[in-house]
Amino acid sequence: VDTTADNGALTACTTAPNDCSLRGAIATANVTTVADTIEFDATVFAGTQTITMTGDHFRVQGGPLTINGTGANRLTINGGAGTNRIFYIDTSLLTLQGMTLTGGNGTGDVSPRPTSAEGGAILSLGSGRLVANEINVTGNTSTSQGGGIYLSNGGRIENSTFSQNQASAPGGALTELGNSTIINSTFTGNTSGF
């Protein structure tokens, strides 16, 4: 990824500058079922950077996908204006490392299924699964369950922080329906209306 622009047409991902957005890289990875890894250009993302979404979620499907951020204190993915969920894990294993997810809102993001508002930052349904290390999930909302993350098939979360997330139903920070492992992580200031 060599641009902060949320432009799905930037899928080339060559050595040319500004030809690979996060949305474009994910779309390219979704084409096959082989495992893919997305990295961020060290020059473009040398300091503190934010990718602000201009459309709905990044849908992850196909083969296992790893997204290696530059650090939770350096790379932020913001849901942007409106009600955009950040990640929707469809049938894949998504591994996230080193990023902050904020401003996600599952309420208006109904494209996975008509009534789905779960998971402000991440929604994982069916066989989708999440592995996360050193992520910061903060300031996300849902009018249903899982203000920060909703996992229907469990997952593994390590060295991460959930803060100031809000849900109207159970799980201000996290709702999980499978068997999840959470290690060395902090939950603070999350709320639920349930």
Side-chain angles (χ1 to χ4, degrees), residues 54-128:
T54 57
D56 66 0
H57 59 250
F58 300 122
R59 184 170 186 165
V60 179
Q61 57 188 353
L65 177 62
T66 297
I67 304 176
N68 290 325
T70 56
N73 61 338
R74 296 177 59 193
L75 175 63
T76 297
I77 302 176
N78 189 304
T83 51
N84 300 318
R85 178 183 295 115
I86 300 174
F87 287 103
Y88 168 47
I89 310 170
D90 190 347
T91 56
S92 300
L93 168 64
L94 174 62
T95 301
L96 295 178
Q97 179 160 322
M99 65 187 68
T100 290
L101 305 177
T102 190
N105 187 330
T107 303
D109 189 10
V110 296
S111 48
R113 57 181 183 170
T115 60
S116 178
E118 298 96 338
I122 299 175
L123 171 64
S124 174
L125 294 176
S127 60

Side-chain angles (χ1 to χ4, degrees), residues 133-194:
N133 185 32
E134 296 181 356
I135 67 169
N136 183 12
V137 181
T138 182
N140 301 284
T141 58
S142 170
T143 56
S144 184
Q145 302 181 60
I149 296 177
Y150 180 95
L151 304 174
S152 67
N153 193 34
R156 182 179 181 90
I157 298 169
E158 298 183 61
N159 308 311
S160 297
T161 300
F162 289 73
S163 64
Q164 308 305 318
N165 300 289
Q166 183 175 3
S168 298
L174 169 71
T175 296
E176 68 91 23
L177 306 180
N179 293 316
S180 292
T181 301
I182 301 173
I183 300 171
N184 195 34
S185 296
T186 300
F187 291 76
T188 181
N190 303 285
T191 58
S192 168
F194 183 75

